[in-house]
Amino acid sequence: MSEAVPATDWPTGPVLARDFAEWREAARRLIVRRVPPESIQWMQHAGDADLLSNVLGDAAAATNDAGAESAPHAALALRIPRGLMDMLECAACFRAADRWAFLYRVLWRWQRGEQEVLSMADDDGARLQAMAKAVRREEHDMHAYLRFRERPEEKGAPRFIGWFEPAHDVLPQVAQHFVRRMGRISWMIATPDATVLWDGAQLHYTAALLRGPADIEDEGEALWLTYYRSIFNPARLNADLMHSHITTRFWKHLPEAAMVPEMVTQAAAGARSTGQSKAVGRRSGTTIPISAELAQPAREQPRTLDECRRCELWQHATQAVAGQGPRHAKIMLVGEQPGDQEDLAGKPFVGPAGEVLSGAMKQAGMDRREVYITSAVKHFKWELRGKRRLHKTPAQREVLACHYWLEEELAQVGPAVVVALGSTALKSILQDGRVNLKDFLHQPVWHDERWVIATYHPAYALRVPDAQARELALSAIIAALRTAQRLARGGMD
């Protein structure tokens, strides 16, 4: 790292940078004069200066006026790698109130020899790369989710108009992408802040011209919406998958998005069961009577765990492991699945994790004989390592398939309190595959007319290599068991 160079006697004040080119020119002059970052007030708009702008205005003017005589000097003083300049230009599109000040600080540090400013281990370097990554991601999303609407040919140019609300200033880069993609066809992209028009030969930039997608007329859109509604199959709806494929904020740019909430509601209200039966019934030709009851395939539910074929785990397990305990116990403990020893013995929690649980119950003053103990999944899922069968976490579809048996146990036992030992048990009890165990630790929740308490699985206390973390996990389990007993007696104090 080079030695610090004292700044020259240079007046400080607001410096206007409305775009990257203007910032680069100002930064070049300021770097040459060794003006430190803390002495500069950057403005993104002409009206951004504070109450001192009148006093400091001369300083900003001096920065611009002195450029001509310092240009040769600057060319000799600055040695900026092309890669750094490209990253600064990309990050400059990131919308942040302090972006110009931040980019100047990066440039200042680089000029002083602090090359670690580009490293992810450096705070400024990590932020710079995160800003550039977010900008590139926004460019990609705009390429993917911008929808052009066609205008009648008699109305002239532009033939296509698109509306988008970018999170960052990526319109110029995206415009170049569509110039290459659409050739000489005229088009316009409107955003809340700016508009770009391609006349087939040249790009024209101007201020915002539209207020939103409602200002765009598209005669073919009604035909597209009719087609989209006709191919929508509520029986195959997966709302979570829809959100994972396209982020919600982009839905406003899609014409069909306005219909999706209504169709999702209809699916939840019963259309999912009948699928497209109404549309099939309206077709011309032979009438096919379809009802929701007859449309569903007949599925005989297993009467015992040994007959269960609701998922594939039974094929590799020794036997199903049912819950054990009093049929009207006030407290039910639910683990994840049987382990190797439970699979061989046919009883829950008899292996190493069972010993940890028994010890925790003893310290909590809980009699195991008065508690019903079971698992969310009834068959052992494992993978072979050498000669050992090692535990493998059940998939969500397997947890859902086995929830049939847990519901039956809850109905028969009717516990007042259910203790979820681990994340898998909590997801099964709450019927939500997205829940996070950490969000429910130490806080009982009321669910389906009973208390649910979440804590660590005893096996977790065995796996944690750190002794202190192991003690904390065991203490959390004991505390959860004590809370369960207090709630079972009808108290929250």
Side-chain angles (χ1 to χ4, degrees):
M1 182 183 298
S2 62
E3 295 183 1
V5 179
T8 59
D9 186 13
W10 182 252
T12 60
V15 178
L16 182 62
R18 288 164 293 196
D19 55 31
F20 180 75
E22 200 167 21
W23 171 85
R24 181 176 57 188
E25 182 66 19
R28 178 176 64 84
R29 294 169 179 166
L30 292 165
I31 286 287
V32 168
R33 287 161 178 76
R34 300 172 187 170
V35 181
E38 60 270 17
S39 300
I40 308 169
Q41 178 188 353
W42 291 93
M43 298 187 302
Q44 299 193 53
H45 306 285
D48 284 350
D50 58 19
L51 295 176
L52 297 177
S53 59
N54 292 332
V55 178
L56 300 175
D58 294 338
T63 303
N64 296 327
D65 295 338
E69 63 176 300
S70 65
H73 200 47
L76 293 174
L78 293 180
R79 293 292 184 270
I80 306 300
R82 183 64 189 174
L84 172 59
M85 188 56 66
D86 290 342
M87 183 169 290
L88 291 173
E89 185 173 6
C90 181
C93 298
F94 188 92
R95 290 180 183 171
D98 65 335
R99 59 177 157 181
W100 303 127
F102 170 71
L103 296 181
Y104 183 75
R105 183 168 73 246
V106 172
L107 188 59
W108 171 266
R109 290 183 59 191
W110 176 271
Q111 283 297 109
R112 296 182 62 195
E114 299 180 33
Q115 298 188 4
E116 66 271 17
V117 73
L118 297 184
S119 169
M120 284 294 292
D122 184 89
D123 289 343
D124 287 341
R127 183 185 176 189
L128 180 66
Q129 296 193 39
M131 290 169 67
K133 182 178 179 181
V135 169
R136 289 191 291 268
R137 179 66 185 179
E138 191 67 18
E139 291 180 28
H140 171 271
D141 289 338
M142 195 166 176
H143 295 166
Y145 302 125
L146 177 68
R147 288 290 186 88
F148 282 104
R149 269 92 163 177
E150 186 176 6
R151 299 176 71 234
E153 191 170 358
E154 59 270 16
K155 290 191 175 182
R159 285 298 315 281
F160 295 90
I161 299 180
W163 170 266
F164 200 84
E165 299 177 23
H168 303 293
D169 299 328
V170 297
L171 183 57
Q173 302 93 299
V174 172
Q176 293 296 334
H177 167 81
F178 284 104
V179 165
R180 296 188 297 269
R181 180 177 177 182
M182 300 184 67
R184 295 189 175 275
I185 300 175
S186 62
W187 49 262
M188 184 179 83
I189 299 176
T191 73
D193 304 307
T195 303
V196 60
L197 174 67
W198 169 252
D199 60 11
Q202 187 176 359
L203 285 171
H204 305 273
Y205 292 90
T206 183
L209 298 178
L210 302 181
R211 293 168 297 180
D215 292 345
I216 305 174
E217 297 180 6
D218 184 0
E219 296 179 354
E221 188 168 297
L223 180 62
W224 159 247
L225 294 179
T226 301
Y227 171 73
Y228 184 84
R229 188 182 291 274
S230 69
I231 64 172
F232 181 81
N233 186 353
R236 302 182 64 182
L237 172 67
N238 187 331
D240 292 337
L241 191 62
M242 292 173 66
H243 283 86
S244 66
H245 281 179
I246 303 180
T247 306
T248 305
R249 77 179 181 95
F250 298 125
W251 285 31
K252 67 180 74 173
H253 305 135
L254 309 178
E256 64 271 19
M259 301 189 308
V260 170
E262 175 192 355
M263 293 189 291
V264 170
T265 301
Q266 291 176 353
R272 189 194 306 269
S273 300
T274 58
Q276 294 174 307
S277 59
K278 292 184 179 179
V280 173
R282 286 196 299 267
R283 293 178 182 174
S284 58
T286 305
T287 301
I288 304 174
I290 296 177
S291 65
E293 293 76 19
L294 296 178
Q296 298 296 326
R299 294 187 178 93
E300 183 179 355
Q301 300 294 351
R303 289 167 294 180
T304 65
L305 265 176
D306 292 333
E307 298 176 357
C308 185
R309 303 294 184 266
R310 295 174 62 86
C311 70
E312 299 176 356
L313 294 186
W314 66 274
Q315 299 180 32
H316 307 290
T318 304
Q319 58 190 317
V321 180
Q324 285 189 340
R327 281 302 173 185
H328 299 289
K330 291 186 177 182
I331 299 175
M332 177 184 287
L333 306 185
V334 182
E336 181 188 76
Q337 67 165 353
D340 180 74
Q341 296 189 32
E342 287 81 4
D343 174 70
L344 297 174
K347 298 178 181 181
F349 283 99
V350 295
E355 293 180 6
V356 174
L357 179 61
S358 295
M361 294 175 71
K362 185 176 181 180
Q363 292 189 54
M366 179 180 289
D367 189 344
R368 181 164 178 158
R369 294 170 300 179
E370 298 179 357
V371 177
Y372 190 90
I373 303 178
T374 187
S375 300
V377 175
K378 309 303 183 186
H379 288 99
F380 180 34
K381 184 176 183 179
W382 54 275
E383 57 184 359
L384 193 63
R385 296 282 182 87
K387 296 183 179 181
R388 298 180 60 194
R389 298 189 304 172
L390 297 184
H391 161 275
K392 189 174 181 180
T393 302
Q396 184 62 22
R397 65 178 181 277
E398 294 158 351
V399 176
L400 291 174
C402 220
H403 185 74
Y404 169 82
W405 297 109
L406 181 60
E407 283 287 351
E408 190 171 85
E409 288 175 311
L410 288 168
Q412 291 178 357
V413 179
V417 183
V418 178
V419 179
L421 300 174
S423 177
T424 300
L426 182 64
K427 292 176 180 178
S428 180
I429 294 167
L430 299 183
Q431 279 293 274
D432 187 350
R434 298 169 297 182
V435 298
N436 191 322
L437 178 64
K438 292 182 179 179
D439 296 335
F440 289 83
L441 289 174
H442 317 301
Q443 183 60 49
V445 295
W446 185 253
H447 177 75
D448 279 353
E449 303 301 321
R450 59 175 60 91
W451 288 106
V452 176
I453 304 172
T455 189
Y456 299 107
H457 193 283
Y460 173 76
L462 288 173
R463 294 193 306 266
V464 176
D466 181 59
Q468 183 178 3
R470 190 159 52 247
E471 287 298 323
L472 290 174
L474 185 59
S475 298
I477 296 173
I478 296 171
L481 297 178
R482 287 172 176 166
T483 302
Q485 293 181 96
R486 187 167 63 251
L487 293 176
R489 291 192 297 266
M492 274 293 290
D493 53 328

